[in-house]
Amino acid sequence: MSMTQPSFSTHEVFNQSPPFEDVDLFSCDRPLVEAVAAFGGASVHGELAEFGRHWGSAAMAARGRLANENTPKLRAFDSRGNRRDEVEFHPAYHELMAHAAHSGLHNSTWDAQGKPAGGASEVVRAAKFYVAAQVEGGHLCPITMTRAAVAALASQPDILAKTMPVIATRSYDPSFAPWWTKRGMTLGMGMTEKQGGTDVRANLTRAEADGDAYRITGHKWFMSAPMCDAFLVLAQADAGLSCFFMPRFAPDGSVNAIQFQRLKDKLGNRSNASSEVEFVGAYAERVGEEGKGIRTIIQMVQLTRQDCAIASAGLMRSGLAHALNHARHRSVFQKHLADQPLMQAVLSDMALHVEASAALVMRLCHAFDRMPQDTNEAAYMRLLTPAIKYWICKSAPAFLYEAMECLGGNGYVEEGILARHYREAPVNAIWEGSGNVMCLDVLRALSREADAALSILRALAEQTKGLPGAADSVAFIGKAFQRLDGERLARLAVERLALLASVAALNTVLPRHAELFARTRLAATHASMYGAVDLESGDMRALLERALP
Ligand SMILES: Cc1cc2nc3c(=O)[nH]c(=O)nc-3n(C[C@H](O)[C@H](O)[C@H](O)COP(=O)(O)OP(=O)(O)OC[C@H]3O[C@@H](n4cnc5c(N)ncnc54)[C@H](O)[C@@H]3O)c2cc1C
């Protein structure tokens, strides 16, 4: 692309970086390619490269920008005062949804019956999700929830059996119509009420039996993606908190009594609508046993947490790629930024963080792939999902700020993607279980399955043997988790657990970089700023060359 367009009489435009567009977002990312291969996805390189080229195109980037500049609008009423309860989206949002559905981001880990698809389907989908998150995050909310809802619907085989033929298609059908008449469907989730999000036991929304179905009355304070075709909703039934399948249309074809009050005015995630909603005797069918609502919906939540970690890692990857692209083209004091030793120190330290994050999320997805037939992998999934969500999602905002700064002032303006990424980053830590809640979840997994957790810690010790700081970290984690005042130390111990698991995952992909990561993160406490580490110039070059050839 020409960087000098003769459009100004006063000056020429030069020394600006070209847009980071029309690239293959998969193949240009060696740490991702190698992590996918290391965890079972080597044979699908071609499919992932095609996905990477498509999502890396300028046309997809434009859709991402348009969907966020033209935010969804609630149409609560028509001109005559009748309720409509519809949300209108810009066409770019629908196009993003259609492209995501077309490649199976919302269902490819399930077979046609809603059973795990097997093989490396989790790793392969995660690679796509990682790439898609680099282009647009908001639309991935309903995509994630649809994929994850299937795990909760498994508790209610009749609902799973009737919805799966529609969920399993790769069509996106945005029409406002009953789900059973559509070519494809999406699902959302309603748990959080005004008086409590973490503590869902405090839900006040009521469910009253009505024949084989229920009538739900109450509210939800956050319910995202309100144009989903159905929601999994928590409400209090006679036997306690229960999970319900609440469609937008009742079985007689009438619009269900789901009344949207407002859309949230959010910091980021602006292409996605998040509603405040009331249910006025809304029709719903029970999912799982009455009184077992948390146990049922947690199956869904494990998967949305996994996606939060993948998406945050993808956001950081995008920040790094844009920063590197800029630094290789922008000259300051007669030298490219990428050749200035101090910028190299910053970028290579960031590259190391992303490389570890990519390896770690792919390792986690490998556990999701293996867990139906391997109890150790199931234990890894339960212990590490909250730890990984905690560490990766909470590290993303600071990382993206640093990436933005690498572009100087251009990083801060809305025409570039980094300002949007920066505003998007905190939500993955806040929703689906905020930071402290993730730490408490790790403690819960430890207390409920102490033996399994201990064997995971032993395996991590074995996989990181001899690496700097690894043995001390294992001892520290073991001791911290045994203490009665474990909650007080939980953040310290959970972060260390995630770092240790990162070293183990990276050791499977590239041992030299596992050693670097261990030396700068386990053997020493990493400084609060990127680049404040002592990496040798050969290692810095290798990290940057791998990050973007
Ligand atoms: C953009 C957006 C979209 C959302 N979409 C949905 C949706 O579609 N469906 C849905 O159901 N919800 C949704 N949510 C809600 C979200 O899941 C909740 O906000 C989240 O679970 C936290 O609940 P809360 O806001 O009630 O905060 P609280 O539960 O009050 O928590 C506040 C803080 O206290 C901490 N905390 C809680 N318990 C403890 C403890 N025991 N010890 C120490 N610290 C603790 C938490 O980590 C958190 O930092 C959405 C939120 C956002 C921001």
Side-chain angles (χ1 to χ4, degrees):
M1 173 172 291
S2 163
M3 292 310 298
T4 50
Q5 295 168 338
S7 52
F8 296 97
S9 58
T10 54
H11 64 284
E12 263 178 42
V13 180
F14 69 100
N15 196 26
Q16 291 281 355
S17 55
F20 185 64
E21 288 172 357
D22 289 327
V23 284
D24 172 350
L25 289 175
F26 179 70
S27 307
C28 76
D29 183 348
R30 265 184 65 198
L32 175 65
V33 171
E34 290 179 19
V36 168
F39 294 113
S43 64
V44 285
H45 185 100
E47 180 186 330
L48 292 174
E50 195 185 323
F51 186 92
R53 273 192 301 280
H54 177 60
W55 283 78
S57 67
M60 288 301 274
R63 289 183 177 111
R65 178 179 57 74
L66 285 166
N68 282 276
E69 284 176 4
N70 301 280
T71 52
K73 293 192 174 48
L74 174 61
R75 305 292 181 206
F77 304 97
D78 69 11
S79 63
R80 289 158 183 82
N82 299 301
R83 288 212 75 96
R84 265 184 73 186
D85 293 307
E86 286 183 72
V87 177
E88 284 176 357
F89 294 88
H90 188 271
Y93 171 88
H94 291 301
E95 288 161 16
L96 287 162
M97 287 293 289
H99 285 289
H102 178 66
S103 47
L105 279 183
H106 70 308
N107 64 13
S108 60
T109 57
W110 306 115
D111 68 13
Q113 283 72 46
K115 299 255 173 344
S121 58
E122 289 278 357
V123 166
V124 172
R125 173 188 173 275
K128 292 180 181 173
F129 202 82
Y130 184 88
V131 166
Q134 299 176 37
V135 181
E136 210 289 305
H139 83 286
L140 292 176
C141 172
I143 292 291
T144 283
M145 292 195 292
T146 304
R147 197 283 286 220
V150 174
L153 290 179
S155 310
Q156 196 61 44
D158 55 332
I159 301 184
L160 184 68
K162 68 182 178 184
T163 51
M164 214 49 220
V166 193
I167 297 172
T169 75
R170 292 202 171 189
S171 303
Y172 169 62
D173 183 344
S175 62
F176 187 43
W179 64 264
W180 58 93
T181 66
K182 293 180 60 162
R183 288 177 293 116
M185 71 183 285
T186 51
L187 289 114
M189 151 169 88
M191 300 192 291
T192 307
E193 298 187 4
K194 289 174 184 166
Q195 69 280 2
T198 301
D199 187 5
V200 289
R201 283 192 173 78
N203 270 198
L204 293 172
T205 294
R206 299 184 313 282
E208 276 169 35
D210 180 13
D212 289 342
Y214 288 77
R215 293 285 161 187
I216 311 278
T217 304
H219 81 281
K220 295 292 165 186
W221 182 228
F222 282 89
M223 196 169 85
S224 289
M227 289 308 282
C228 283
D229 297 287
F231 302 89
L232 296 191
V233 166
L234 290 182
Q236 302 285 358
D238 286 349
L241 197 64
S242 310
C243 180
F244 296 91
F245 173 82
M246 183 188 282
R248 285 301 306 274
F249 288 80
D252 64 2
S254 62
V255 178
N256 204 0
I258 300 174
Q259 302 183 347
F260 299 115
Q261 309 297 303
R262 246 191 337 181
L263 298 185
K264 301 286 191 191
D265 183 7
K266 296 177 288 183
L267 167 70
N269 196 253
R270 295 182 72 83
S271 68
N272 177 37
S274 298
S275 72
E276 296 166 15
V277 64
E278 288 185 15
F279 310 132
V280 191
Y283 171 90
E285 296 167 35
R286 201 183 64 236
V287 180
E289 281 176 58
E290 246 193 39
K292 302 279 191 256
I294 296 178
R295 189 197 285 175
T296 303
I297 208 146
I298 203 73
Q299 303 303 323
M300 172 174 187
V301 173
Q302 285 287 23
L303 295 180
T304 57
R305 288 176 178 169
Q306 176 199 14
D307 274 2
C308 287
I310 302 167
S312 283
L315 280 174
M316 292 191 279
R317 159 65 194 172
S318 183
L320 173 68
H322 282 273
L324 260 172
N325 175 63
H326 184 75
R328 284 180 181 159
H329 291 90
R330 178 79 163 179
S331 291
V332 178
F333 304 134
Q334 287 88 46
K335 237 191 201 171
H336 278 134
L337 278 175
D339 297 324
Q340 307 276 5
L342 186 47
M343 187 55 102
Q344 285 173 343
V346 173
L347 290 169
S348 52
D349 193 24
M350 290 168 72
L352 186 54
H353 183 83
V354 173
E355 201 160 330
S357 303
L360 184 59
V361 292
M362 290 307 152
R363 171 67 187 89
L364 177 65
C365 294
H366 181 61
F368 275 92
D369 272 327
R370 301 287 308 143
M371 66 180 188
Q373 59 268 18
D374 186 331
T375 52
N376 284 331
E377 293 293 332
Y380 182 99
M381 184 284 286
R382 282 194 294 276
L383 183 69
L384 267 304
T385 300
I388 292 171
K389 181 192 186 272
Y390 172 81
W391 178 65
I392 289 188
C393 296
K394 286 186 83 65
S395 71
F399 185 99
L400 283 154
Y401 146 66
E402 194 69 64
M404 211 157 64
E405 189 169 316
C406 292
L407 274 75
N410 286 1
Y412 193 70
V413 298
E414 289 287 346
E415 277 142 333
I417 199 172
L418 291 191
R420 167 147 59 89
H421 281 349
Y422 180 66
R423 286 186 285 98
E424 182 72 15
V427 78
N428 284 327
I430 292 174
W431 65 13
E432 307 305 327
S434 312
N436 287 353
V437 178
M438 290 300 86
C439 292
L440 294 174
D441 236 48
V442 174
L443 293 182
R444 197 170 303 118
L446 278 164
S447 69
R448 284 197 186 148
E449 302 177 71
D451 291 346
L454 205 62
S455 80
I456 298 301
L457 197 57
R458 269 198 224 104
L460 290 176
E462 190 56 38
Q463 290 153 17
T464 57
K465 204 168 176 176
L467 288 169
D472 286 348
S473 295
V474 172
F476 174 81
I477 296 164
K479 269 199 211 118
F481 284 147
Q482 274 163 19
R483 288 174 56 151
L484 290 173
D485 60 349
E487 257 189 51
R488 197 171 57 77
L489 294 177
R491 281 195 174 214
L492 255 181
V494 170
E495 177 167 333
R496 203 128 274 256
L497 175 63
L499 291 172
L500 185 72
S502 303
V503 173
L506 203 46
N507 212 18
T508 310
V509 183
L510 189 65
R512 172 68 187 156
H513 288 184
E515 204 265 330
L516 292 182
F517 192 78
R519 183 152 59 72
T520 53
R521 270 81 171 168
L522 286 185
T525 301
H526 189 265
S528 55
M529 305 300 161
Y530 286 98
V533 292
D534 184 7
L535 295 174
E536 282 165 24
S537 55
D539 286 324
M540 293 202 284
R541 257 199 315 279
L543 279 160
L544 298 178
E545 195 47 41
R546 276 167 67 72
L548 196 63

